[in-house]
Amino acid sequence: NPGHGVYAVLIVFGLALGLSGDIWLDLKWIYEKDMEKFLNAGFIAFMIGHVFYIGAIYKFAGNWSVLTAVLPVIVSVVVAIGNVIVSEKLLKLKFGKFRTIVGVYTFFLFMTFAVSAVAMLNNSFAKQWILMSAGGLLFAFSDAVLSNMYFKEGGNTKPNVVINHTLYYAAQFVIASSVLFIK
């Protein structure tokens, strides 16, 4: 999409950091004694990737008021805190020493969806923001499955692996597709 290189670069950086996060998470299975370090590195890479997505949305969606710029932040804080509490209490996930990073990551994860949803509403359902919203939601669903795989006893099943990968790669594809429609 000529003329929109900055948006494309921000999205590509986000996707590349996702790839980096995947590598860190895979290494935790190979070097089990360093599992905690690799899991943290994966979380951090994914978080930074979401910062690139969020920055691209804020920069290129325009039409921001104080309310529309701040509302996704407030909602994402509530969702992040609620997610940790609900996941541990109702879903019986055991975050343990990863509780804080799960909460912080959930904030950035949900911000990708929340900011793109507001951008979609502010821009009359423009295709690029529909795609970013859908991608953000697919990432959230993927990570919900991944949380069960990592933090719930018996959650790392073959069906969960297939569901997680399907949602995750769909999210990447949909977000990458937004580059074609940016205006």
Side-chain angles (χ1 to χ4, degrees):
N1 190 348
H4 298 287
V6 173
Y7 179 82
V9 165
L10 291 171
I11 297 302
V12 168
F13 280 171
L15 293 169
L17 282 155
L19 173 63
S20 171
D22 290 335
I23 293 167
W24 290 117
L25 293 183
D26 285 344
L27 288 172
K28 79 183 193 68
W29 301 111
I30 297 169
Y31 302 103
E32 292 181 17
K33 67 179 170 82
D34 292 322
M35 185 273 295
E36 291 178 18
K37 291 177 189 174
F38 290 123
L39 186 56
N40 277 317
F43 270 117
I44 291 166
F46 290 131
M47 267 192 283
I48 297 169
H50 283 287
V51 169
F52 278 98
Y53 300 140
I54 294 161
I57 298 162
Y58 272 124
K59 171 118 176 83
F60 290 93
N63 299 325
W64 296 103
S65 68
V66 171
L67 176 63
T68 60
V70 173
L71 185 61
V73 175
I74 295 167
V75 171
S76 296
V77 167
V78 171
V79 167
I81 293 168
N83 175 60
V84 170
I85 293 168
V86 167
S87 294
E88 287 183 330
K89 299 261 190 241
L90 296 179
L91 301 176
K92 308 293 184 214
L93 273 62
K94 295 179 177 149
F95 297 129
K97 59 180 81 173
F98 297 103
R99 189 172 202 240
T100 300
I101 199 160
V102 166
V104 173
Y105 173 72
T106 301
F107 168 79
F108 287 103
L109 169 68
F110 198 78
M111 271 291 289
T112 299
F113 168 71
V115 172
S116 57
V118 170
M120 179 182 66
L121 294 171
N122 279 348
N123 291 281
S124 304
F125 292 85
K127 288 178 190 171
Q128 68 270 24
W129 307 126
I130 292 171
L131 290 168
M132 284 300 294
S133 297
L137 205 52
L138 287 165
F139 271 142
F141 291 148
S142 168
D143 285 341
V145 174
L146 195 62
S147 286
N148 276 297
M149 292 169 59
Y150 284 2
F151 300 112
K152 188 171 190 174
E153 192 169 324
N156 194 8
T157 64
K158 286 184 180 182
N160 278 350
V161 170
V162 170
I163 292 166
N164 170 258
H165 282 89
T166 301
L167 292 168
Y168 179 71
Y169 293 119
Q172 289 181 317
F173 178 79
V174 170
I175 285 176
S177 298
S178 73
V179 172
L180 299 172
F181 300 100
I182 192 71
K183 295 179 182 179

